[in-house]
Amino acid sequence: MQTTPLMLIPLAHVDADEATSVFHDFAEEWERRRLNTFVRHCDRRRYAHAHGAMRLALSQVLRRPTADVTLRRTRTGKPYLRGGPAFSLSYVDGDAWLAIGLEDALGLDVVDLGPAEGELDELVAPQAEKHAVALVMPSLARPDVVVWAAKEAAAKLADRVEVAPEDWRVRFTHCLEVSADGVPAARVDIVRMDAALVAAIARPLQPGDAATSGTQVAS
């Protein structure tokens, strides 16, 4: 199987002033309404920076001026570009990460494997699902958290964030496969980015898919 090219971009590296300026100049009306729902200034600043930085990254990939990057959204509020490329945004510890690929859709969830208060409930991360994750990436300190991330990534891919985590199923076939009733199965790649951060990247499952971690992390 040939892996579809994918970029994984840390938006924290994008200049805050430039990104925020881009947001205020070019944000869609629905983005401005969303910004106004945040009570805390730090949350408003984080949202404006992430969406401005996302526009800058997409404009580079599309080779278009930032003003020409028109974001649309689905019924659940998921942003997308008509005609692609596919992209997905994830927040972790106040920072934002952006995945950009060539598929019709993708889903990203980034998690921190650092210290936490106990393991996730068995209902959310059953032992069999943690074992499936371990087959893809052995010796993970928190396979339960990665199970959660795989389900979140699949939910973003399918735009089915209303499906509860316990209703998703994670198993290993030729790759890590995540599905739920009435939702097409997703293939999820797990990528370790550093000692603490792990990304789960969901893409449509194709015949013959095999586990891979061929991801480009942009600086």
Side-chain angles (χ1 to χ4, degrees):
M1 183 204 72
Q2 184 176 6
T3 304
T4 304
L6 178 80
M7 295 181 67
L8 189 54
I9 304 169
L11 297 183
H13 293 183
V14 179
D15 181 79
D17 290 339
E18 182 183 11
T20 302
S21 176
V22 164
F23 176 83
H24 289 298
D25 287 345
F26 304 118
E28 310 296 340
E29 186 57 37
W30 61 266
E31 291 177 285
R32 300 181 193 278
R33 289 196 301 269
R34 176 65 178 133
L35 181 73
N36 290 331
T37 64
F38 294 108
V39 175
R40 298 190 304 172
H41 177 68
C42 62
D43 294 331
R44 292 165 59 88
R45 185 173 63 246
R46 182 181 74 160
Y47 181 85
H49 174 265
H51 276 239
M54 179 170 65
R55 264 188 173 73
L56 287 167
L58 291 170
S59 71
Q60 290 183 11
V61 171
L62 291 167
R63 297 182 180 178
R64 296 182 198 162
T66 310
D68 293 343
V69 178
T70 301
L71 294 181
R72 304 177 186 276
R73 62 174 179 165
T74 66
R75 59 178 180 80
T76 66
K78 176 183 177 180
Y80 71 95
L81 286 167
R82 180 174 289 175
F87 65 93
S88 184
L89 183 67
S90 179
Y91 293 96
V92 60
D93 294 336
D95 290 333
W97 289 79
L98 178 69
I100 303 177
L102 300 181
E103 296 89 345
D104 292 333
L106 61 82
L108 170 70
D109 194 57
V110 180
V111 290
D112 189 339
L113 302 184
E117 297 181 3
E119 285 205 4
L120 296 177
D121 191 277
E122 178 75 11
L123 189 65
V124 172
Q127 189 61 39
E129 296 184 356
K130 289 185 285 189
H131 178 67
V133 164
L135 290 174
V136 174
M137 187 169 285
S139 304
L140 277 173
R142 294 296 305 272
D144 58 317
V145 174
V146 179
V147 167
W148 172 276
K151 294 179 178 184
E152 287 287 300
K156 289 181 179 181
L157 167 70
D159 200 18
R160 294 292 301 275
V161 293
E162 78 280 3
V163 179
E166 58 267 28
D167 293 332
W168 292 94
R169 296 176 296 276
V170 179
R171 63 178 185 149
F172 181 80
T173 53
H174 299 295
C175 60
L176 199 64
E177 197 175 309
V178 183
S179 61
D181 290 341
V183 182
R187 159 260 185 81
V188 179
D189 291 323
I190 306 300
V191 179
R192 183 186 285 278
M193 296 183 289
D194 61 25
L197 292 181
V198 167
I201 303 160
R203 291 179 273 192
L205 183 69
Q206 303 294 338
D209 272 356
T212 184
S213 58
T215 299
Q216 176 186 353
V217 180
S219 59

